[in-house]
Amino acid sequence: MLKVRILAVAVLVASVAMGSMLVQATEPNAAAQELVEYRLEKWKTTHAEGDQSKKLAETLTKLRCEVKVDSHGGHTDVNYRCPKWQQLALKSHKEAHQWEGWLKKLGFETKHAH
């Protein structure tokens, strides 16, 4: 079961690292055509190993989430929440759907506006 979770985190981290898609949560601007709103009211924990936990924690922090990292028993727990709605402004519909899917896999509520 732990190996499945670790693999799932690896896939999520890899999807974020696609190209240069690592962005920060931003307020809408003229260049942004798509908005993804997201929140996660209660703390959630994901297991990761090595560099994957660091990348996941960095990404969640850039998305204005609260993040706590705890290493033990050969793996790392990444605890996160984002109790207030945040917005992620993206340039394309495709990027918006990729981010929305990634956020949902991590347990976030999402809204996607065009």
Side-chain angles (χ1 to χ4, degrees):
M1 181 70 170
L2 181 59
K3 288 184 180 183
V4 173
R5 282 185 163 171
I6 292 169
L7 179 59
V9 171
V11 170
L12 292 172
V13 170
S15 69
V16 170
M18 291 182 291
S20 61
M21 283 186 55
L22 185 60
V23 297
Q24 290 190 1
T26 58
E27 296 302 320
N29 61 45
Q33 298 176 5
E34 304 282 332
L35 290 179
V36 174
E37 294 181 73
Y38 57 92
R39 78 172 174 183
L40 180 63
E41 292 184 289
K42 296 185 179 183
W43 285 100
K44 185 150 177 100
T45 301
T46 299
H47 298 282
E49 286 187 1
D51 199 36
Q52 295 171 349
S53 61
K54 183 179 177 184
K55 288 179 182 177
L56 179 60
E58 287 174 355
T59 301
L60 291 168
T61 299
K62 288 182 180 183
L63 291 171
R64 298 183 186 150
C65 299
E66 296 174 53
V67 179
K68 298 178 185 176
V69 179
D70 181 38
S71 296
H72 60 93
H75 72 277
T76 302
D77 290 335
V78 179
N79 302 293
Y80 54 95
R81 75 175 178 170
C82 186
K84 295 181 181 179
W85 283 102
Q86 299 290 336
Q87 291 184 334
L88 182 60
L90 299 153
K91 293 180 183 178
S92 73
H93 188 69
K94 181 180 176 182
E95 283 183 2
H97 279 282
Q98 288 173 331
W99 276 98
E100 184 177 26
W102 184 82
L103 288 162
K104 283 182 178 181
K105 286 179 184 177
L106 286 175
F108 286 83
E109 294 176 71
T110 64
K111 297 178 189 176
H112 177 193
H114 298 263

